[in-house]
Amino acid sequence: MRNVRGMMWKDLNIAELPRLSRFPFQVQSLGYTHGGIYPEETHRYERFEVCIRRYAQAVTATECINGTVYQVKFPNVILKIPGMIHSFALNFPRDVVHFTYAAEMEDALRKVLPFPEKPIWEIHLGGRENQLITELMDLMEKSHEYGMTDRIDLVAFQLLELLIFNYNYSILHPDYYETKIRSIASYFQLHYKEEIDIVKLAMHYGMSRSTFLRHWQRFFQKTPGQYVLDLKLQEARRLLQENHTLSVNELTLELGFKGAAYFCSLFKRKFGMTPLQFRNYVKTERFSY
């Protein structure tokens, strides 16, 4: 590892390390880059490289690839094809994970994977993607141990396959985000009593907080916070109807409200009466029957 112009960089060459299996897609090298700011550079690539830009201190990246300019949001992935002419500038630090194959592996990979027509595209780093990246980085530290190179080959291929399949799925299903948003809504319905970290939840589904909020608004009129709050209050109403022994303090703790006074205020705003007034109203209604 070394630090070059503010950049932390590590690249591990495993091309000559022995393999135990006959898996055909053997990784030549892998590594990561963090940081780095420098003027525009132009490269011509000799190997096939998968370069995953996980995040950067910028919203988008602008790249010129074989004369075509691409502008893509972070996180994104670029496939650096042998012979590609690539010009770019790093004006903001970024975090990158990369692995390479021998040039002749490009054709073999294209025969088994449905490569996108463009070499760079936005990606969504969900739980599975991040799991594979973490596993790949962990294996880097054990590359000389028995069987580790074979595992690197398999994990790298699984990661590339997942990124390409996700891209093709998003093209075939324009409402790619709808499934994610409705899955998050289902999560809210199951976990509304708990403290929910929106940022971590969005990241689990491969979205930034801003991307999640933007797409949430497409399907729900209420904000996520209002949606969860409404679930809490509806449950409070149900409990008041069905359980006549729960106190206001117990309801407050059960549903994760910050305090009894706050809970009562929200309940009255929603239903036009305090929790105790509602409970008495329910008793009166039942008695009248």
Side-chain angles (χ1 to χ4, degrees):
M1 183 186 298
R2 58 183 179 177
N3 193 318
V4 180
R5 288 177 288 182
M7 178 175 67
M8 296 300 297
W9 172 80
K10 184 171 185 177
D11 192 49
L12 181 68
N13 190 332
I14 62 171
E16 302 302 322
L17 294 182
R19 264 71 172 183
L20 302 175
S21 71
R22 296 181 180 179
F23 187 70
F25 306 112
Q26 297 183 359
V27 172
Q28 298 281 292
S29 67
L30 70 160
Y32 62 84
T33 305
H34 180 74
I37 299 176
Y38 45 87
E40 182 173 322
E41 293 192 357
T42 299
H43 295 272
R44 181 185 178 91
Y45 300 109
E46 296 181 356
R47 294 188 290 181
F48 175 64
E49 180 176 343
V50 180
C51 191
I52 303 162
R53 286 88 162 264
R54 295 192 288 183
Y55 58 83
Q57 294 179 12
V59 177
T60 60
T62 301
E63 321 273 338
C64 181
I65 300 172
N66 293 335
T68 300
V69 175
Y70 297 88
Q71 191 168 55
V72 61
K73 294 180 180 180
F74 288 95
N76 60 65
V77 62
I78 178 172
L79 303 183
K80 298 177 179 179
I81 309 301
M84 172 190 288
I85 306 298
H86 180 207
S87 298
F88 62 96
L90 288 183
N91 298 316
F92 299 93
R94 62 176 69 176
D95 183 270
V96 180
V97 173
H98 56 88
F99 52 93
T100 67
Y101 296 97
E104 58 269 21
M105 278 291 102
E106 181 196 349
D107 288 340
L109 285 163
R110 287 185 181 277
K111 288 179 180 179
V112 297
L113 295 175
F115 276 43
E117 292 183 2
K118 57 183 182 180
I120 184 171
W121 68 91
E122 181 181 351
I123 58 175
H124 311 284
L125 294 178
R128 180 56 177 160
E129 291 87 345
N130 283 317
Q131 179 186 350
L132 289 170
I133 289 172
T134 299
E135 186 175 354
L136 201 58
M137 294 300 94
D138 288 344
L139 289 170
M140 278 187 68
E141 307 302 323
K142 308 171 184 176
S143 60
H144 284 72
E145 295 180 16
Y146 185 81
M148 290 300 107
T149 47
D150 298 87
R151 289 182 60 187
I152 288 172
D153 294 338
L154 288 170
V155 173
F157 181 81
Q158 288 173 347
L159 180 56
L160 175 60
E161 179 184 54
L162 182 60
L163 294 172
I164 290 176
F165 282 5
N166 283 349
Y167 171 82
N168 284 283
Y169 183 88
S170 68
I171 296 300
L172 294 173
H173 301 80
D175 264 341
Y176 173 72
Y177 285 102
E178 182 174 4
T179 300
K180 293 177 177 288
I181 294 299
R182 298 203 181 279
S183 294
I184 291 175
S186 297
Y187 180 91
F188 287 156
Q189 290 169 4
L190 294 172
H191 299 274
Y192 62 86
K193 295 181 182 180
E194 306 167 14
E195 186 174 347
I196 299 173
D197 189 323
I198 294 294
V199 174
K200 287 185 178 179
L201 184 60
M203 287 180 62
H204 176 76
Y205 284 91
M207 294 178 284
S208 66
R209 180 178 181 275
S210 59
T211 299
F212 161 61
L213 292 175
R214 183 172 70 253
H215 288 284
W216 176 273
Q217 293 172 357
R218 294 173 53 208
F219 306 105
F220 296 95
Q221 293 182 342
K222 299 176 182 178
T223 66
Q226 291 169 336
Y227 185 87
V228 172
L229 178 60
D230 194 55
L231 291 171
K232 288 175 180 281
L233 292 173
Q234 293 292 348
E235 177 64 4
R237 182 181 180 180
R238 185 189 70 80
L239 289 171
L240 286 166
Q241 286 177 314
E242 297 180 2
N243 191 324
H244 302 302
T245 62
L246 276 176
S247 68
V248 169
N249 285 332
E250 287 172 330
L251 275 172
T252 300
L253 292 173
E254 170 76 14
L255 297 172
F257 286 103
K258 295 179 180 178
Y262 178 65
F263 163 55
C264 290
S265 173
L266 292 172
F267 191 93
K268 185 173 182 180
R269 190 186 307 166
K270 174 73 174 178
F271 300 111
M273 58 185 78
T274 67
L276 292 180
Q277 288 171 337
F278 178 77
R279 173 174 282 166
N280 290 333
Y281 169 78
V282 170
K283 289 180 179 179
T284 301
E285 287 294 305
R286 286 180 176 174
F287 183 76
S288 66
Y289 282 101

